[in-house]
């Protein structure tokens, strides 16, 4: 918990976009859905660089990044997943996971470089997309991840 | 080893930019050094998504990503490190690790979005930069990483 951190202070992400708690991280739908399924995975603990984490915490958070990537790839039938840990605006560790669909308008470009009009879903469309991702995360919970699966509920 | 992969086929990166072998990955200096210290970390094994890796391989590669990030942050006194795993052009897993210096021309922008003229170092400048990063990687090798340290030579 760090003061003057907009994540620790609860200013971002907006809780209307909350999908699931994976244990060490929380997952949110990205507000701009111009690339369908774009999600943000937030480390619950305040840290700003991978090398500030213990080996154990880094392994756990990367298992959650990997699980979410697999679920998004499957849900949106992505040709490729993009994983970005930047933090130039908000240093608190958060991953942007971006499915790149076969219908991608600029398939070779990094997700942040694509010029576009922001696509904000209606609240019912947003809730529907959140529901599908949450259900697929739950379905992906293996027996050894029973604790994780419970946290999704 | 995959045919029709420009990494497995040895077409990229250019060996003149080779820095070190960390065990599960090899590190190269990015050819365009407009953001000083930008490196690329290549998984030796052919895979295109994090979730294709075993837990053990994912943990090992992320330990190497973390080590390189720490060394680059220290070497270039970066205000923030950026970590990008995209693969839209070359799907074989490779991480772009980009130090964002206090003198960064566009500190809030993702590294791939910054409009700029490419900065290609002279071969002597390039070799000097490679040498500094390699030496700092070696110095960062802890006793438990003696095998890793040997691979840097």
């Amino acid at each position: 918990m760090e003061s003057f951190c907009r994540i620790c202070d609860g200013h971002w992400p907006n809780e209307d976009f909350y999908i699931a708690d994976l244990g060490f991280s929380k997952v949110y739908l990205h507000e701009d859905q111009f690339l369908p399924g774009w999600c943000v995975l937030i480390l619950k603990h305040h840290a700003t660089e991978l090398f500030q984490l213990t080996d154990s915490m880094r392994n756990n958070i990367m298992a959650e990044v990997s699980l979410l990537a697999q679920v998004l790839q499957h849900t949106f039938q992505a040709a490729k997943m993009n994983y970005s840990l930047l933090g130039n605006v908000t240093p608190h560790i958060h991953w942007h996971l971006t499915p790149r669909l076969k219908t991608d308008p600029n398939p070779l470009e990094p997700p942040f470089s694509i010029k576009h009009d922001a696509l904000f879903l209606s609240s019912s469309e947003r809730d529907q997309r959140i529901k599908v991702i949450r259900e697929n995360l739950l379905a992906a919970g293996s027996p050894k991840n029973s604790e994780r699966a419970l946290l999704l509920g």
Side-chain angles (χ1 to χ4, degrees), chain A:
Chain A
M1 193 73 173
E2 192 82 4
S3 56
F4 308 114
C5 166
R6 63 196 278 254
I7 290 177
C8 292
D9 287 347
H11 295 311
W12 186 77
N14 182 327
E15 289 297 325
D16 291 343
F17 292 79
Y18 172 77
I19 299 176
D21 184 329
L22 298 183
F24 290 86
S25 65
K26 289 186 176 181
V27 181
Y28 294 81
L29 195 68
H30 194 236
E31 300 195 9
D32 180 0
Q33 284 288 296
F34 85 103
L35 295 178
W38 186 325
C39 284
V40 182
L41 182 148
I42 310 265
L43 182 65
K44 290 185 186 179
H45 170 76
H46 182 86
T48 61
E49 300 286 357
L50 279 186
F51 52 82
Q52 294 166 351
L53 306 179
T54 61
D55 287 355
S56 167
M57 186 174 284
R58 189 184 59 242
N59 293 344
N60 280 305
I61 188 77
M62 293 311 302
E64 295 178 5
V65 167
S66 181
L67 174 73
L68 177 61
Q70 186 163 25
V71 164
L72 293 176
Q73 191 279 326
H74 173 74
T75 305
F76 297 92
Q77 290 296 298
K80 184 75 190 73
M81 288 299 302
N82 289 173
Y83 316 67
S84 307
L85 173 58
L86 302 177
N88 301 319
V89 176
T90 304
H92 183 130
I93 286 179
H94 63 282
W95 292 84
H96 288 271
L97 290 192
T98 317
R100 305 303 297 265
L101 276 56
K102 293 182 185 73
T103 54
D104 197 290
N106 295 73
L108 301 184
E109 271 196 67
F112 293 99
S113 308
I114 302 171
K115 287 196 175 155
H116 68 282
D117 294 321
L119 177 60
F120 300 110
L121 302 180
S122 70
S123 57
S124 65
E125 289 170 324
R126 178 197 66 206
D127 291 348
Q128 179 55 29
R129 187 158 293 175
I130 285 172
K131 184 167 176 282
V132 169
I133 297 169
R134 183 184 291 143
E135 286 175 353
N136 287 346
L137 272 168
L138 260 172
S142 67
K144 71 173 180 175
N145 290 328
S146 54
E147 190 185 354
R148 166 179 295 151
L150 287 173
L151 289 163
L152 294 168

